[in-house]
Amino acid sequence: MARTEELTFICTERRETAGPNNNWMSTSEAKDRLGRIFDGCMRGRTMYVVPYIMGPAASPFSKVGFELTDSIYVALSMLIMTRAGDVALKQLGESADFVKGLHSKADLNPERRFICHFPEEMAIWSVGSGYGGNALLGKKCFALRIGSYMGFKEGWMAEHMLIVGVQAPSGETHYIAGAFPSACGKTNLAMLNPPAGMEGYKVWTVGDDIAWMHVGEDGRLWAVNPEAGYFGVVPGTSFKTNPNAMRTIQSNTIYTNVLETPDKGVWWEGVDVPPPDQGIDWQGRPWTPGNGEKGAHPNSRFTAPANQNPSISPEWENPQGVPISAFIFGGRRAKVAPLVYQSLDWNHGVYVGASLASETTAAAVGQVGVVRRDPMAMLPFCGYDMGNYFGHWLEMGKRIPHPPKIFNVNWFRTDENGKFLWPGFGHNLRVLKWIIGRCDGTAAAVESPIGLLPAEGSIDMTGLELKKGTMQELLKVDPADWKQEVESQGAFFAKFGDRLPAGITEQRKALLRRLERQAAEGLGPGAADRAGIAAGSSLT
Ligand code: GTP
Ligand code: SPV
Ligand code: MN
């Protein structure tokens, strides 16, 4: 019912290739160990052979994969999540250039479960799990872990990002790509429904989880969604929070780990309708409302075709992709991170992404709600040494003549009672509007040590009234919190040793200087200069 990160491996000749961010096994050991589990494991079952394309058919950026599996769930899900079948065989032609995926649920025993990636030979072996991220090999295994390795070698980017088009009342559309850790709001943002007061806007979904991005001839960065469906978090999905998702999942949809109702329907916590009087819970046990158990697992999922989404972008299958104006990074942070801020430039933006942190969710097995660093939301998905990955990001900045502007958002800041300060969901469009305004030069910002914050009144609040002081609270940058934050960032980056690019260390030092300077200025005008704290950037 969730990804098992501790059983997920990058398998290469040398350990250094995988980096401290990955579990590593040597190629030969992995093949030996998994080979023994695979041996005979499909006996008596049907083996499905699924040829598929990641990316729009006919796109120069698309890539072909094959998945062999003994799971009917996996075979059917791949038909939804990818462009599968003849179209993939046609695309491949006589070429042998495809990712070789082997999957078996075997005996589903966690003791004999491994999800192994061989980026050096474009292969994936997954055994012992039937869960999406472990078993639908086109998604995280290929499009991110193998894809990020290919992008590093070939000069493009494979990211854990939604892609969304925001059309203003003027008719102009800006595309934004956003990285949020698992179960932190990508699908919701990708399908956003404008709030009351912003009816003139239209939001178009290009992708909800993964972006493959290349530098275009016009010097901008262009993104395609390699997937053809959504593997989305079910709990909390309702006509109130995400009407487009609700409309998408009315038919041709596979549900896992939800409550089964007596009439063979589905129900989950947070849906618009009250629970049935009884049902079968996600573990297959009889369930009644209030029996102390959840009907649906917190990471229960739907698998649905993207073209059923009423907000699907007319550009979503454009072989060239869509041009990206802005990147946003975001996590779940009850404190510290403000609602939104803009980085000072590309390199600072890379630092903002690299220092992303978020409270853990049910999307991976393990403790939920603890703050963990998750650079670019890629910690579980980067198929090589993350120090080199940061270097790749810095390098891409030099190679993109008109790079996206980079922002950080946090929908999840809470008040002293633990209640979310920001209404989120459709209202997040207010923040996207400010971000687009920054790209166009029409929205105002004020300087802070961590970056550029919205100037007072620069976020469109038409149709939304917040309690007095809430916006100030949402945008607060607490110097003490941030000092601690920078220390914790430093401890994290130290893990990458000499693979950590100097550019990251420089950004951290500059941030520290700006914070110290602000703290000193709190002591009166000129105090920073008297204390000899140098200006860290054009900001100070
Ligand atoms: P993965 O598929 O795991 O990569 O997740 P995701 O990033 O697509 O997350 P998703 O949009 O499915 O959201 C996960 C959970 O966060 C759901 O329960 C949502 O209801 C909740 N959520 C999404 N957006 C917001 C928001 O703006 N505010 C609040 N409070 N909750 C949100
Ligand atoms: C995630 O965990 O980020 C997901 C679901 O999108 S999975 O495909 O399982 O990785
Ligand atoms: Mn995801």
Side-chain angles (χ1 to χ4, degrees), residues 3 131-134 139-140 160 182 186 209 231 301 363 381:
R3 282 181 293 100
Y131 171 73
N134 294 337
K139 195 175 181 55
K140 295 305 172 33
H160 191 198
S182 301
K186 288 181 299 301
D209 198 47
F231 182 60
R301 296 259 169 179
F381 308 119

Side-chain angles (χ1 to χ4, degrees), residues 289-325:
N291 75 343
E293 300 285 339
K294 285 210 151 53
H297 185 274
N299 192 42
S300 52
R301 296 259 169 179
F302 58 75
T303 309
N307 60 15
Q308 293 185 180
N309 174 4
S311 68
I312 192 82
S313 164
E315 298 297 320
W316 88 282
E317 297 194 283
N318 187 328
Q320 299 303 324
V322 294
I324 301 299
S325 303

